[in-house]
Each structure stands twice: as C-alpha cells, then as structure tokens.
RNA sequence: GGUCUCGUAGCUCAGCUGGAUAGAGCAGCAGCCUUCUAAGCUGCGGGUCGCAGGUUCGAGUCCUGCCGGGAUCACCA
C-alpha cells in the first residue's frame, strides 16, 4: 500500500505512472516478461549523479539475462524513443538515470496552480471525522515544555491531516478534578489570604501552580521525613475530595473559582501558540463514565471478578497483564474513565478514527485500553490510535518539578521573543519598523523558532531541548525560513518597482541547474503533505521546508533577477520566486508558523 | 526480571520504508557584502551507522543474539 507512487501529486503521479507504464511495456517487448507497471520502482536521482529519476535495473536481470549495464542501455534507449519528455539518460553500474527536458519541468509547474491552496486537498466534511485529542492538561499547574511538544504536535497534526483532505475534529480533555486539585484548594484556603490573579498580578495558572508547590512543601515539613501520605494535610485534602464528590456547595464553589483562573491562564497560552479545539471535555463531567460498560462486560463474561469484588480484565493471552477496572469498593480507576470517554466520544462524533496525542510513557496504558475495548465488543476500537511521542529532555537530564528544572511554557515563549528582539536590534533589522510592528515581528520570530525547533524532530523519538541552541536563529531553524521568505518578498517588491512583472511561465527556454533544483522541489509539496499525514509526522514538512529555503538561497546567491537581461528568463525567475514564497507559506502554515514580509 | 523503544560526525538531528561514494545544521578553519536583506552563500576538516552473526545481486534500513540508554509493568492519574 505504501508504494512510492502512492504519495505523489498529480504532476508527479503522471510522470511516474507514465514511466512505469512505458517501462513495463518495454520489458514486455524486449524480454517478453509481464511485470505489473506499479511494481516498477523509481526513485529520485541522487545529487551526485546526473538525472532526475532513477530506475534500478538489478531486479530485471533475471528476465533480461544480460549484464546490468546492457539491460539499462536497452531500457534507456527504448524509453527515450517512446517518450518525448525524456531528454537524456546515463548509466552507472545497474542504475539508469533518466533526465527530462527542461520544457517538461516548466510545463509541469505551469500546470500546477501555485496559490494559497497549493498542496492542500479540500476536506470532505461529510466523511466521518478523525477525532484528535491533544493537550489534556491538569488544572493544578501551568503548562511546561512537555506540554509544549504535545500542543505543537497536536496543532500541526490537525493542520496536516486537514490539508491531506481529512475531516478533523480536535478535542481537549481537561483533568480538572481529583486529589491534586484539592491540594491546591486547601493550600490557597489556608495560606492564600484571598489572593487572586488580579491582586497578585500573575496568570491564574501560575498562581495556582504556586499553591500546589506550597502544599507539597508544607506537607513535607509536616511529614518530616516520615510517610507523606499520613499527614493531617493529606487527610484534609482527601476529605475535601470526598466533599467535592458529594457536591458540597462550598467546596464546589471554591473549586470552580480556582479552576476558572487556571483555565483562563491556559487560554492565554493556547492563543499565543495558536492552539484551538473544536470541543472541550472536562473530567469533572466524565469521571464517572465507564462504570456501566464495565458492569455490562462482567455480565457478559468478558471480565472477571475477584473474591474481594474488584473487577478485572485478563489480557495475559494478548501478551499483556491483568488490569483492574473497578476497585473492590466499586470506585473506578483511570482506565475505567478512559473506556467511558472513548465510547462517549465515539457517539458524539460518529468518529471514523480517534487519535490520542499522549507521551510514550503511556504506551502500555493505551495498549490495554484498546485491547480491552475490543474485548468488550467495540469494533470501532480497532480505529483507536495512540500517537505516542517521545519525551523532551534537558541537558541536565529529565525535568523534575521538585528540583525546579521545569521549563515553563509562558516563560519559554517570552525568552524566545526576547532573543528575537535582541538579535534583530543587533543586526539593525528593525530600524524602520514602528514599535507595534517590531513587537509583532519578534513574537512571530520567537514562535517560529520554538515551533520549528520542536517539530523538526521525528515525534516518535525522545528529543533534547538545549536552551542555548534553541535561540540560535541560524541554519536549520524557523527564523532561517522566515528570513528566506522576507528576502523573496523584498525581491519581488523590488522587481515590481522596476516594472518587472510576470504571470506566466515561459516553457520553451532554458533553466539554470539551481533554478531546476528548486523548481522540482516545489512540485513535491502535495506528496510531502500526504506522507506527513500517513506517517503522522510534521517533521517531514519541517525538513521539506528547510530544503526549499536552502535551494532558494543558493539560487538567490548566484542569479539575479533585476540584472537578468533575457526577459523571458527574468520572468521565469520571478515566477519561481513567487512560487517559492507561496510554497513556503503553505508548508510552514502546517506547522503553525507564520512568515513575515520583512525581517 | 517481563514487555516496548532508542543507539548515525565533538553536539543536535535527516536518511524518501532494501539501492550508488551515509547527509544537513551547530561548533572549528578559510573565503564572499559600493550590485535584488550577510538571520545569507561557497569551500575544508570531521564516520568501524553500538557490537557480532544472518537473510541477498545489494543492509544505516529487515531477522537473531549481545552491550548501553530510556519508558513501562499500581485497587496513581
């Protein structure tokens, strides 16, 4: 299913399928062998060799019964004979490198409409949606670097899937209840002195985070090295939780007030990152769900009950373990809740597929969840996908809230912005900008730096976040791509000022190698989006964008537009610049990154 | 201990699902701004792809074993 041709854009598809078809016919002609045309593999020719596409002939030696070189010569000659678009070919060992005519490439890009929709498929909203859950924070502390990776991945995945023509719905399940909230409530009540985000002058989530830490400190003091669960404070917190569950008016009011502060704080952070959801779920409303399903499963004999009345699923035959679903006292656990919310969400959206963006430390949990749901008879659970991403590590090791090594999301974004401002001032980039324009620009650059730094890494892998490297805006970074865009913008502007305009490609003239490299790359956007959607990897888009920026800058360095004397060439070059600008805009938008006109 | 996962240049990462001489960025060194933005471009140095076997025309990529790092295996969430 994931054959090479599967990912291709219309243009590339035509090139590939035509070639495959012709090669298949040639093999039949020359060696009377029947080979399915889509079984013929073509790949991009490596940079070190001349050519556009390469056919590896080794697999055909069995049917040609000839040496690799000779087989390649025969196929190459026949191909040139049959296809007008083929310019030349060369053979190195068993590799047949095929070059197309420049006019063919120019015609290919002329046939693509490179506008703000280039590369994007229209989403079919009548299709059953893919429901994408991400973020899913606890309301007892502000968002940190780990959440940032989650949020950025979720944000980008939603855009990538949408661009690939999927109907995507995003949801956020907010963990707003439980013992951790009661701890902060208690701490605020005891030592807060009525402090609010307004009086304290801090965001609500940060204020609450302070009390969560304070509770921990006070509790440690009380325990004095002993059992931290046996303190009076912990007892009070547990009592508060019980009151909460009993709907005690006073406790509920306090809980509501503090949660609202936190959620308002999250909203600011989300807005700044560009994170949005189609629907929010709150655990305070869903935490009881799942129980009915479990009891039903027990009745059906899918689940087992121990002597102490606790209910379990036995997955030892699935290479997993036994897992508890209802405690002996009849209360539910995390898994129970997840079973319930999955079923609810399935109903709410009539989902085709449900994707959970959750860190890889929960691989086992989702394995169990999925298999349990399937055993319980929910066929749709086959379409549950745990998008498991790696942890973010710091140079000094893992983030530990107790050791104060947690990187706060808001502070991080501020630092990125400040770095952008400092560098811009040093380089004199902002001299002609108003204060507001400059401020917007620094924010845009800071965001790009952070987002790109995190999204360019394969999501499955653990990644290292080095603060010093993250504020380096040279090389393979978001600001580098933004800079490329700003350069093009300025260039196009300049050309227009000089009366140089272009709205069509001249397909019958020559192309410089540097122009052709860029042009061919631009034609890849649709297939890169498909690939990113299929593999759920924004990193593919990031690396592709970088390749474009690099190819452009190389060309920019060598070839001038305003000085070009051949006006047909000049127009093509201008067209190429505009196409590059648009392609970069479209690809970076999938990462939630905006590109400035100037910088 | 069981299961999963990762190991590519000094550092951070790519490597198109098995193809050619393994590539970028950062860091280091050397060049390029009176000419479209030098947050740029060009070049140099830097590798036993953790180790050992296997599969085949061909392995960084697939299989097995070992070494090393990480995660997970709660009547926590």
């Amino acid at each position: 299913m994931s054959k090479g041709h599967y990912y291709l854009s219309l243009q590339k598809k035509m090139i590939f399928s035509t070639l495959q078809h012709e090669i298949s016919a040639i093999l039949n002609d020359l060696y009377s062998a029947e080979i399915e045309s889509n079984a013929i593999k073509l790949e991009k020719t490596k940079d070190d060799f001349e050519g556009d596409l390469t056919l590896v002939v080794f697999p055909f030696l069995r049917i040609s019964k000839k040496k690799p070189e000779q087989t390649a010569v025969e196929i190459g000659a026949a191909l040139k004979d049959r296809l007008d678009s083929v310019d030349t070919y060369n053979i190195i060992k068993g590799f047949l490198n095929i070059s197309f005519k420049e006019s063919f490439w120019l015609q290919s890009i002329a046939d693509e409409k490179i506008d703000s929709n280039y590369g994007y498929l229209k989403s079919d909203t009548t299709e059953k949606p893919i429901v994408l859950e991400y973020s899913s924070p606890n309301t007892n502390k502000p968002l940190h670097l780990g959440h940032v990776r989650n949020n950025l991945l979720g944000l980008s995945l939603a855009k990538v899937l949408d661009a690939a023509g999927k109907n995507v719905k995003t949801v956020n399940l907010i963990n707003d209840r439980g013992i951790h909230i009661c701890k902060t409530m208690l701490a605020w009540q005891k030592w807060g002195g009525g402090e609010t985000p307004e009086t304290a002058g801090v965001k609500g989530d940060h204020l609450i985070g302070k009390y969560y830490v304070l509770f921990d400190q006070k509790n440690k003091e009380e325990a004095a090295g002993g059992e931290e669960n046996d303190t009076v404070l912990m007892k009070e917190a547990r009592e508060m939780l019980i009151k909460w569950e009993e709907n005690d008016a006073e406790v509920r009011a306090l809980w509501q007030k503090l949660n609202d502060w936190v959620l308002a704080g999250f909203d600011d952070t989300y807005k700044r990152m560009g994170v949005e959801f189609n629907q929010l779920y709150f655990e305070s409303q869903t935490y009881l769900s799942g129980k009915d399903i479990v009891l039903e499963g027990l009745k059906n004999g899918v689940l087992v009950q121990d002597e102490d009345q606790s209910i379990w699923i036995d997955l030892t035959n699935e290479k997993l373990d036994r897992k508890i679903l209802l405690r002996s006292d009849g209360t539910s656990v995390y898994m129970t809740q997840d079973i319930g919310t999955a079923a609810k969400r399935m109903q709410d959206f009539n989902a085709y597929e449900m994707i959970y963006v959750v860190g890889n430390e929960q691989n086992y949990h989702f394995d169990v969840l999925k298999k349990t749901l399937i055993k319980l008879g929910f066929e749709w659970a086959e379409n549950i996908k745990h998008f498991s991403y790696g942890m973010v590590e710091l140079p000094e090791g893992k983030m530990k809230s107790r050791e104060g090594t947690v990187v706060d999301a808001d502070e991080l974004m501020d630092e990125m912005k400040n770095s952008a401002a400092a560098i811009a001032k040093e380089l004199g980039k902002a001299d002609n900008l108003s204060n507001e324009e400059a401020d917007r620009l620094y924010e845009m650059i800071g965001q790009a730096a952070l987002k790109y730094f995190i999204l360019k890494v394969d999501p499955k892998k653990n990644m290292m976040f080095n603060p010093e490297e993250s504020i380096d805006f040279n090389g393979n970074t978001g600001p580098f791509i933004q800079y490329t865009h700003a350069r093009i913008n300025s260039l196009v502007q300049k050309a227009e000022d000089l009366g140089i305009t272009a709205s069509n490609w001249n397909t019958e003239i020559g192309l410089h190698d540097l122009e052709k490299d860029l042009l061919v790359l631009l034609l890849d956007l649709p297939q890169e989006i498909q690939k990113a959607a299929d593999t759920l990897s924004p990193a593919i888009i990031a690396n592709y964008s970088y390749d474009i920026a690099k190819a452009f800058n190389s060309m920019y360095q060598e070839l001038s537009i305003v000085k070009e004397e051949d006006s047909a060439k000049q127009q093509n070059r201008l067209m190429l610049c505009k196409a590059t600008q648009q392609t970069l805009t479209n690809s970076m938008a999938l990462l939630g990154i905006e590109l400035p006109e100037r910088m």
Side-chain angles (χ1 to χ4, degrees), chain A residues 179-180 183 186 212 215-239 241 402:
Chain A
I179 191 72
H180 53 281
K183 289 180 184 176
L186 199 60
Y212 185 70
F215 179 94
D216 208 49
Q217 279 171 7
K218 296 275 189 185
N219 191 53
K220 268 212 182 80
E221 281 168 27
E222 192 195 327
E227 184 50 59
E228 289 179 17
N229 270 324
D230 282 349
T231 58
V232 175
L233 269 177
M234 274 307 293
K235 218 180 113 195
E236 283 184 78
R238 279 192 294 267
E239 278 166 10
L241 181 60
R402 302 198 168 168

Side-chain angles (χ1 to χ4, degrees), chain A residues 37 71 79 237 257 349 419 447 590:
Chain A
S37 67
T71 309
L79 208 51
K257 179 162 71 178
F349 287 96
S419 302
Q447 286 291 324
L590 300 177

Side-chain angles (χ1 to χ4, degrees), chain A residues 307-368:
Chain A
E307 281 178 15
D308 65 358
Q309 304 301 304
S310 56
I311 300 178
W312 300 71
I313 178 108
D314 186 351
L315 294 170
T316 46
N317 289 336
E318 322 264 337
K319 290 187 76 175
L320 298 171
D321 225 326
R322 262 164 58 100
K323 177 79 193 174
I324 193 160
L325 298 179
L326 277 183
R327 297 188 181 102
S328 50
D329 63 5
T331 56
S332 51
V333 295
Y334 187 46
M335 188 65 73
T336 324
Q337 217 183 110
D338 266 6
I339 289 169
T341 53
K344 173 83 167 26
R345 192 175 302 171
M346 186 65 208
Q347 272 181 3
D348 288 354
F349 287 96
N350 188 22
Y352 161 72
E353 185 177 28
M354 297 200 287
I355 302 177
Y356 294 79
V357 180
V358 177
N360 63 13
E361 73 266 10
Q362 292 198 35
N363 285 352
Y364 182 79
H365 174 83
F366 278 96
D367 229 11
V368 172

Side-chain angles (χ1 to χ4, degrees), chain A residues 189-448:
Chain A
Q189 205 174 42
K190 281 182 182 294
W191 308 295
E195 190 177 34
T196 69
E198 287 75 32
T199 63
V202 293
K203 287 179 72 212
D205 48 340
H206 289 263
L207 184 72
I208 292 307
K210 189 176 92 179
Y211 287 103
Y212 185 70
V213 172
L214 186 62
F215 179 94
D216 208 49
Q217 279 171 7
K218 296 275 189 185
N219 191 53
K220 268 212 182 80
E221 281 168 27
E222 192 195 327
E227 184 50 59
E228 289 179 17
N229 270 324
D230 282 349
T231 58
V232 175
L233 269 177
M234 274 307 293
K235 218 180 113 195
E236 283 184 78
R238 279 192 294 267
E239 278 166 10
M240 197 175 245
L241 181 60
I242 290 169
K243 278 190 177 170
W244 182 90
E245 292 188 356
E246 288 168 349
N247 244 318
D248 179 278
E250 208 175 310
V251 169
R252 283 282 179 154
L254 176 63
W255 168 78
Q256 191 70 56
K257 179 162 71 178
L258 267 52
N259 260 332
D260 285 349
W261 291 346
V262 175
L263 294 177
F266 286 170
D267 264 352
D268 289 345
T269 309
Y270 285 152
K271 229 168 246 146
R272 192 168 174 190
M273 287 195 287
V275 165
E276 289 176 333
F277 301 99
N278 293 106
Q279 188 165 334
L280 300 181
Y281 286 91
F282 294 92
E283 264 192 38
S284 54
Q285 289 161 14
T286 61
Y287 78 106
L288 292 174
S289 64
K291 211 167 158 175
D292 300 344
I293 296 174
V294 170
L295 293 174
E296 181 76 14
L298 180 65
K299 216 164 68 185
N300 298 341
V302 177
L303 306 177
V304 294
Q305 189 160 38
D306 278 8
E307 281 178 15
D308 65 358
Q309 304 301 304
S310 56
I311 300 178
W312 300 71
I313 178 108
D314 186 351
L315 294 170
T316 46
N317 289 336
E318 322 264 337
K319 290 187 76 175
L320 298 171
D321 225 326
R322 262 164 58 100
K323 177 79 193 174
I324 193 160
L325 298 179
L326 277 183
R327 297 188 181 102
S328 50
D329 63 5
T331 56
S332 51
V333 295
Y334 187 46
M335 188 65 73
T336 324
Q337 217 183 110
D338 266 6
I339 289 169
T341 53
K344 173 83 167 26
R345 192 175 302 171
M346 186 65 208
Q347 272 181 3
D348 288 354
F349 287 96
N350 188 22
Y352 161 72
E353 185 177 28
M354 297 200 287
I355 302 177
Y356 294 79
V357 180
V358 177
N360 63 13
E361 73 266 10
Q362 292 198 35
N363 285 352
Y364 182 79
H365 174 83
F366 278 96
D367 229 11
V368 172
L369 174 65
K370 184 166 176 171
K371 287 190 167 132
T372 301
L373 283 165
I374 290 170
K375 277 211 155 189
L376 286 168
F378 298 111
E379 282 169 27
W380 48 261
E382 296 282 0
N383 292 328
I384 283 182
K385 206 176 271 175
H386 174 206
F387 177 83
S388 161
Y389 64 90
M391 328 216 66
V392 183
E393 283 154 17
L394 298 171
E396 56 270 23
K398 270 193 75 173
M399 282 195 290
K400 286 261 159 53
S401 50
R402 302 198 168 168
E403 289 158 31
T405 56
V406 175
V407 177
D408 178 78
D410 295 314
E411 279 174 27
L412 180 58
M413 291 192 282
D414 284 343
E415 275 171 35
M416 298 304 268
K417 182 178 181 179
N418 290 340
S419 302
I423 293 171
K425 280 172 192 153
E426 191 186 313
L427 297 173
K429 295 285 186 182
D431 295 350
N432 297 322
L433 296 176
S434 71
N435 284 344
E436 300 90 90
E437 281 175 324
D439 190 70
R440 259 211 320 275
L441 180 63
Y442 303 150
E443 174 69 14
M444 202 189 280
I445 295 172
Q447 286 291 324

Side-chain angles (χ1 to χ4, degrees), chain A residues 15-31:
Chain A
I15 301 166
F16 265 64
S17 59
T18 307
L19 266 182
Q20 287 174 321
H21 184 83
E22 291 302 324
I23 291 167
S24 171
I26 288 166
L27 290 172
N28 199 353
D29 263 18
L30 292 175
Y31 316 121

